[in-house]
Amino acid sequence: MAHISTEHEVLAAVFQVRPGRPPATSRKPALHVLLWERALDPEKGRWALPGGHLGPDEDLTSSVRRQLAEKVDLRELAHLEQLAVFSDPDRVPGPRTIASTFLGLVPSPATPELPPDTRWHPVSELPAMAFDHGPMVEHAHNRLVAKLSYTNIGFALAPSEFALSTLRDIYSAALGHPVDATNLQRVLERRRVITRTGTTARSGRSGGRPAALYRFTDSRYRVTDEFAALRPPG
Amino acid sequence: MAHISTEHEVLAAVFQVRPGRPPATSRKPALHVLLWERALDPEKGRWALPGGHLGPDEDLTSSVRRQLAEKVDLRELAHLEQLAVFSDPDRVPGPRTIASTFLGLVPSPATPELPPDTRWHPVSELPAMAFDHGPMVEHAHNRLVAKLSYTNIGFALAPSEFALSTLRDIYSAALGHPVDATNLQRVLERRRVITRTGTTARSGRSGGRPAALYRFTDSRYRVTDEFAALRPPG
């Protein structure tokens, strides 16, 4: 078979847990994804993931970092990893373009400055999306949900120190369903994913007890599953 | 930045647990990877992962299936999934070529017929490898080891029914270190990864008790981690 040439783009699904927007009936924190509005055809007015074409002298990770830097301050990104490749021959009009997708996470409550064409959208209420970027967000969200269950990836969504009620809100938002704070604490402490700082914060509720503060034990991504039978000896 | 065109190839690290080769001092099962010997320059005589260039009308998964079919009967593949993209601008000589890698698993004791240029090599004793295919095997092996700890992926390396001693040999070979059969049984039964068939097999040792037979509960890939606090309610 003849060798064909294709174009290659990198696209990032960058997530953050943020308060619901003011007009919403609830200000409950929700998982948001960073999107920009296309000003030109094709798909003018639709919303797209940040990213763009691979340059001649860069690999995929350098490329996505360069292109994300145009949208957000990279120091705000606590985690960035390669996800799936989208390679359907007809996924975009024009020359065949293969897309490598990335997962990026911004801790709350950071408030990165955004360019005027760019906005956070709740994952549960995506606007009209360009090309195959809707399925890309869904795929990245599914990977995030899975990784929350067997890794410490929550560190990249949480503040550096937090009360358990804050962590519960972050996990609930990222997973898309309610999580019990006591169960969450039990599981994450048993796996040494979170550690008590020894300090407390005043509860937001008047008269409430001061809440114990926690932090993630590691701020480097790792599999946390306690499958001790499979660890190397010693 | 100008849009550049690149070529795109798909490459598969296909693993199987197989007995050590006869001249080896031990016939202990070891993890092997499927490689073919390059007959032409560049890198003539070095060993490479099966795969090749993406065709004009296929996506990555169709392409890797088509190209693997030239090396091994696809019905023998119990698992195939996309792994990382290797995109260093200078990874191969000639036109820039981006490589998407895949992980493939063949259960033991299948003995696929191989073309004459193709052979199973122990992962611990790789021959001189072409291009960046050595690091690709290492990366795929690392992913396999991680996935053994939080998924049921072992089903794709094991026979349909097996004694625990067989499963222990398969896990030990894939992980690269000894595993205790009793611990393995405890963990995998607790997570409902394996189930007793209710039948037994005669032990290989003379006078040994007949060994209970097991099977994998599911033969579809899933995360098995018991992180119940994070499951959707109901």
Side-chain angles (χ1 to χ4, degrees):
Chain A
M1 190 169 294
H3 294 189
I4 57 158
S5 280
T6 65
E7 299 190 3
H8 204 107
E9 62 180 345
V10 291
L11 295 167
V14 177
F15 293 112
Q16 187 186 30
V17 175
R18 304 172 61 82
R21 278 181 291 189
T25 49
S26 149
R27 299 233 34 190
K28 214 168 61 171
L31 190 69
H32 288 65
V33 63
L34 193 68
L35 301 174
W36 64 281
E37 188 176 10
R38 292 180 62 86
L40 298 173
D41 272 325
E43 312 260 310
K44 180 178 167 181
R46 290 183 168 250
W47 292 81
L49 294 173
H53 279 73
L54 183 67
D57 302 318
E58 57 189 7
D59 64 15
L60 296 181
T61 304
S62 319
S63 185
V64 75
R65 289 196 162 273
R66 171 179 64 79
Q67 307 202 53
L68 277 179
E70 297 163 8
K71 300 290 183 189
V72 304
D73 184 340
L74 283 185
R75 284 166 299 182
E76 316 256 25
L77 264 189
H79 182 74
L80 182 68
E81 72 173 295
Q82 212 185 96
L83 294 182
V85 178
F86 284 69
S87 59
D88 187 294
D90 303 314
R91 55 171 293 276
V92 294
R96 182 167 183 186
T97 306
I98 292 172
S100 290
T101 62
F102 281 75
L103 170 67
L105 299 177
V106 174
S108 45
T111 51
E113 271 194 57
L114 302 182
D117 65 351
T118 302
R119 201 176 299 165
W120 293 102
H121 291 266
V123 168
S124 59
E125 298 168 50
L126 291 181
M129 299 285 290
F131 313 120
D132 49 0
H133 293 203
M136 287 172 176
V137 171
E138 190 185 348
H139 176 264
H141 184 204
N142 288 342
R143 296 302 301 132
L144 172 62
V145 167
K147 283 165 188 282
L148 281 167
S149 83
Y150 61 79
T151 76
N152 67 338
I153 201 168
F155 80 83
L157 291 172
S160 55
E161 299 194 349
F162 45 83
L164 279 173
S165 58
T166 302
L167 192 65
R168 175 203 56 207
D169 288 348
I170 289 170
Y171 270 76
S172 299
L175 294 166
H177 61 78
V179 170
D180 180 78
T182 308
N183 281 342
L184 189 65
Q185 172 193 5
R186 185 174 48 75
V187 172
L188 296 182
E189 282 199 306
R190 194 172 59 205
R191 295 178 176 203
R192 300 191 190 84
V193 174
I194 60 172
T195 311
R196 259 174 225 256
T197 64
T199 57
T200 57
R202 185 163 297 283
S203 159
R205 293 163 301 172
S206 63
R209 271 192 307 162
L213 288 179
Y214 289 78
R215 61 178 175 79
F216 274 83
T217 312
D218 293 318
S219 56
R220 240 193 100 209
Y221 180 66
R222 63 181 176 88
V223 171
T224 54
D225 184 274
E226 293 280 7
F227 204 163
L230 297 191
R231 289 221 197 89
Chain B
M1 189 170 291
H3 295 188
I4 58 159
S5 281
T6 64
E7 299 190 1
H8 204 107
E9 64 180 345
V10 291
L11 295 167
V14 178
F15 293 113
Q16 187 186 30
V17 175
R18 303 172 60 83
R21 277 181 291 189
T25 49
S26 150
R27 300 237 28 194
K28 215 169 57 169
L31 189 71
H32 287 66
V33 64
L34 193 68
L35 301 174
W36 65 282
E37 189 175 11
R38 292 180 61 87
L40 299 173
D41 271 325
E43 312 261 308
K44 180 179 169 180
R46 290 182 169 249
W47 292 80
L49 294 173
H53 279 72
L54 181 68
D57 302 319
E58 57 189 7
D59 64 16
L60 297 181
T61 304
S62 321
S63 184
V64 76
R65 288 197 162 272
R66 170 179 64 79
Q67 306 202 55
L68 277 179
E70 297 163 8
K71 300 288 183 190
V72 17
D73 184 340
L74 283 186
R75 283 167 299 184
E76 315 256 25
L77 266 188
H79 182 74
L80 182 67
E81 73 174 294
Q82 211 186 94
L83 293 182
V85 178
F86 285 67
S87 59
D88 187 294
D90 303 315
R91 54 171 292 276
V92 295
R96 183 168 182 185
T97 305
I98 292 172
S100 290
T101 62
F102 282 74
L103 170 66
L105 299 177
V106 174
S108 46
T111 52
E113 272 194 55
L114 302 182
D117 64 353
T118 302
R119 200 177 300 164
W120 294 102
H121 290 265
V123 168
S124 59
E125 298 168 51
L126 291 182
M129 298 287 289
F131 312 119
D132 50 359
H133 293 204
M136 286 172 176
V137 171
E138 189 185 348
H139 176 265
H141 184 203
N142 288 342
R143 297 301 301 132
L144 172 62
V145 167
K147 283 166 189 283
L148 282 167
S149 83
Y150 61 79
T151 77
N152 67 338
I153 202 168
F155 80 84
L157 290 172
S160 54
E161 299 194 350
F162 45 83
L164 279 173
S165 58
T166 301
L167 191 66
R168 175 201 58 208
D169 288 348
I170 288 170
Y171 270 75
S172 299
L175 295 167
H177 61 79
V179 170
D180 180 78
T182 309
N183 281 341
L184 189 65
Q185 172 193 6
R186 187 175 46 77
V187 172
L188 296 183
E189 283 199 305
R190 194 173 57 206
R191 297 183 175 200
R192 299 192 189 86
V193 174
I194 61 172
T195 311
R196 258 173 225 255
T197 64
T199 56
T200 57
R202 185 163 297 283
S203 160
R205 294 163 300 174
S206 63
R209 272 192 307 162
L213 288 179
Y214 290 78
R215 60 178 176 79
F216 274 84
T217 313
D218 293 317
S219 56
R220 241 192 99 205
Y221 180 65
R222 63 181 176 87
V223 171
T224 54
D225 183 276
E226 294 279 6
F227 205 163
L230 299 190
R231 288 218 199 93

